[in-house]
Amino acid sequence: MGSFNWRKITQQLRPSGPPGSIEGDAPAQEGRRSRRALWSIPVLLGLMAAVALLWPVQEPVATASAPGDYVVLAWNDLGMHCYNPSFQDLAVLPPYNTLWAQVIHVGDPPQIVTDGIRVEYFFADNTYSVGKTDFWEYEQDLFGVDLPPNVGLTGKGLSGEMDPAGDHFVAEGIPLTEYSDSAPTTRAPYQLATVIVYDAATGQELARTQPVAPVSTEMHCDNCHYDGGVEGIATGRVDTNILTLHDEENSDEYPPGHEGLLMDRRPILCAECHASNALGEPGQPGVPSLSKAIHKKHKKKVPDSLEGCYNCHPGPQTQCLRDVMSTQHGMQCTDCHGGMKQVGDNPNPWLQEPRCDNGACHGSDYAQDQALFRLSKGHGGVYCAACHDSPHAIAPSNQANDAIKFIAMQGHNGPLDICTVCHATQPTEPGPHGIVVTPVATASPTATDTPSPVDTPTPVQTSTPTETPGATETPGVTETPSPTGTPGETETPEPTHTPQPTGTPEAPLHIYLPSVMR
């Protein structure tokens, strides 16, 4: 699995320059002090007038990026990461979050930078996970690894360095929970990360941003599997009710090497037998994938609706479907994915999903160059999610934290639409998707600017650090140009859904567990 990254980010706030000092003169006679004071008045007035004339007037608009500036675009690979509320009995998904980032050198044209820089991340109000989840009590039984506290399955912690990955940087497998340090018993699913770019040689800060890392345990198996809810099973816990039902219905079919009641072998990793592309686990021959098993088993028991999906996916409180398609266009999960049957029929879940460029949606002007939106790139080699944000969180979302990075870069919420965030001057040629942008008065701030308090939403259950931005001199950085219900068995007719076309991915999924698990 490779060595763990033990390094924690520490950053001290220091004044931008050495403190000044004023040394008093030796005592003098009263008359001399009076004359000096009289002479100082016109001198001070003159200096004040000169400063007033020369001091630039600060307009209440963002400052445009300039050649030599750097911009970092960062996002989460998915619109939501789930993990089990407890790992005592079973595990569907571990705490495993992922951040992506691309660094742009502002210019004409802008260039994607991968050399000569270091990209780091941290969570100001989420610095530990042990005690917020019991994962580290059961990781050996579930995944066969003995992890240090607050270190995830890939060796990442709650802060550290992002890894270069071709044209971007990634921190994969961050063991993040939904509980902030400041409110460790209150769910806060939209955790705020800070991503900072440094000159690798000098350590000077070049750019920063604050993407959301979404995470939730809101999976309502308890809606059906409460004590006595299904087949009269009552063990005292929802997870053991599920395992008991599984044993009653399937124990005579358990594959070789996995015999024995699940209740006697706890904790159980579902992907031990059921293939999961989300974990990179192949499962056992002849056993349906976890997605197929769950969706097929629950069709006609769970309604094909947003409310139905929120029985398992987070959730009525979390509302992971929060993007512009749902908030402004009234779309629901089934508009793209179809109902329970269609999702269960997907032969390659997580890797074969609805596309944005099909004819029933955005069409060829919004073509994906990969089968999955989150792996696709467009304008100048920038990832689609860098400008539009993550799947299920396409900007503008209904969450204040999602808006923070967009407001900081361009002065307003929504996908990036101010060209001079990355371009040194306003381009005249058509931009992404063939759109011709009319220049507007409000331009993007530089990487070290702070958005106006009036425009910045209040973070939800998180806090951000107050840090001193780095200097503005341009470092010598090598630039790499971008490449061109209720349970029951009553049969009722299913609603008719037309899910959007899917494709086969041309790149591997970027959420996987290390090979030691295989």
Side-chain angles (χ1 to χ4, degrees):
M1 182 167 60
S3 60
F4 293 129
N5 185 347
W6 288 96
R7 199 160 71 84
K8 291 281 187 178
I9 296 175
T10 57
Q11 188 167 12
Q12 293 182 332
L13 304 180
R14 300 183 182 276
S16 56
S21 62
I22 300 175
E23 297 181 1
D25 294 330
Q29 295 179 356
E30 185 69 26
R32 292 180 58 192
R33 287 203 299 268
S34 300
R35 288 194 299 272
R36 185 180 300 130
L38 290 173
W39 276 106
S40 67
I41 293 174
V43 173
L44 288 173
L45 290 174
L47 287 173
M48 291 170 65
V51 169
L53 290 172
L54 296 174
W55 194 266
V57 177
Q58 297 297 315
E59 297 293 337
V61 295
T63 305
S65 298
D69 286 341
Y70 291 81
V71 176
V72 57
L73 310 176
W75 64 98
N76 185 264
D77 63 332
L78 301 175
M80 179 55 63
H81 280 262
C82 311
Y83 69 101
N84 285 75
S86 172
F87 295 88
Q88 178 181 1
D89 300 308
L90 64 82
V92 177
L93 292 169
Y96 195 98
N97 219 290
T98 298
L99 293 172
W100 285 40
Q102 279 189 301
V103 181
I104 312 289
H105 186 211
V106 177
D108 291 325
Q111 291 188 324
I112 295 173
V113 181
T114 57
D115 297 328
I117 57 175
R118 185 179 76 254
V119 183
E120 297 185 356
Y121 69 94
F122 66 91
F123 294 85
D125 196 25
N126 206 332
T127 60
Y128 67 93
S129 292
V130 172
K132 299 175 181 177
T133 172
D134 61 4
F135 173 73
W136 281 269
E137 298 176 37
Y138 301 102
E139 88 279 24
Q140 181 78 57
D141 293 329
L142 290 166
F143 299 106
V145 290
D146 185 13
L147 298 171
N150 302 310
V151 173
L153 288 162
T154 62
K156 292 296 183 187
L158 278 301
S159 62
E161 189 168 335
M162 300 182 73
D163 301 315
D167 56 2
H168 66 284
F169 294 81
V170 62
E172 185 170 353
I174 303 168
L176 185 70
T177 73
E178 61 184 340
Y179 298 104
S180 305
D181 295 354
S182 59
T185 60
T186 302
R187 285 178 170 174
Y190 301 107
Q191 292 288 319
L192 200 62
T194 300
V195 173
I196 307 180
V197 182
Y198 296 98
D199 183 303
T202 67
Q204 177 187 343
E205 180 181 325
L206 305 177
R208 70 169 56 202
T209 190
Q210 291 184 297
V212 162
V215 57
S216 178
T217 63
E218 192 186 4
M219 296 179 281
H220 282 291
C221 304
D222 58 324
N223 285 351
C224 297
H225 294 278
Y226 52 87
D227 277 353
V230 180
E231 301 292 336
I233 295 172
T235 66
R237 290 200 298 270
V238 170
D239 286 354
T240 50
N241 289 344
I242 293 171
L243 293 177
T244 298
L245 179 64
H246 196 289
D247 282 338
E248 289 183 359
E249 295 184 345
N250 302 287
S251 61
D252 59 337
E253 300 174 347
Y254 290 163
H258 301 270
E259 300 91 349
L261 297 179
L262 301 183
M263 283 291 290
D264 295 337
R265 299 191 286 117
R266 291 174 289 159
I268 297 296
L269 177 65
C270 299
E272 172 187 323
C273 294
H274 297 279
S276 172
N277 285 331
L279 300 182
E281 287 297 291
Q284 297 298 316
V287 178
S289 72
L290 185 57
S291 175
K292 183 174 183 177
I294 290 177
H295 289 96
K296 289 286 191 178
K297 180 68 176 178
H298 292 86
K299 71 175 182 178
K300 299 183 181 179
K301 300 174 184 178
V302 173
D304 292 336
S305 65
L306 178 63
E307 293 74 18
C309 296
Y310 277 168
N311 277 284
C312 299
H313 299 273
Q317 284 74 48
T318 303
Q319 298 184 26
C320 63
L321 179 58
R322 62 193 189 276
D323 65 5
V324 66
M325 269 79 80
S326 64
T327 60
Q328 296 186 19
H329 302 284
M331 295 180 67
Q332 297 190 3
C333 312
T334 54
D335 290 311
C336 293
H337 295 279
M340 297 286 286
K341 181 181 185 303
Q342 287 93 334
V343 176
D345 286 338
N346 185 347
N348 209 6
W350 293 83
L351 297 176
Q352 182 173 305
E353 298 297 341
R355 298 178 61 104
C356 302
D357 56 1
N358 69 79
C361 199
H362 293 291
S364 59
D365 285 342
Y366 296 80
Q368 295 178 193
D369 69 339
Q370 301 291 327
L372 296 173
F373 166 84
R374 60 186 176 79
L375 299 181
S376 295
K377 292 176 284 189
H379 185 61
V382 175
Y383 282 88
C384 300
C387 294
H388 292 277
D389 221 343
S390 311
H392 307 120
I394 302 300
S397 88
N398 62 10
Q399 293 295 320
N401 280 7
D402 285 325
I404 289 174
K405 65 179 181 181
F406 291 111
I407 293 173
M409 285 188 286
Q410 62 182 6
H412 62 269
N413 192 10
L416 284 183
D417 58 10
I418 300 297
C419 301
T420 50
V421 168
C422 298
H423 292 263
T425 58
Q426 179 69 34
T428 57
E429 67 276 6
H433 314 305
I435 296 172
V436 178
V437 179
T438 302
V440 294
T442 301
S444 70
T446 61
T448 56
D449 282 340
T450 301
S452 166
V454 175
D455 295 328
T456 304
T458 301
V460 180
Q461 295 293 340
T462 59
S463 62
T464 58
T466 302
E467 299 177 86
T468 304
T472 55
E473 61 178 326
T474 304
V477 177
T478 303
E479 300 155 8
T480 302
S482 161
T484 334
T486 299
E489 297 300 328
T490 303
E491 295 289 322
T492 56
E494 293 188 62
T496 301
H497 296 282
T498 306
Q500 302 303 333
T502 60
T504 302
E506 300 172 16
L509 186 67
H510 284 267
I511 46 171
Y512 56 84
L513 295 179
S515 58
V516 69
M517 290 182 53
R518 303 191 187 284

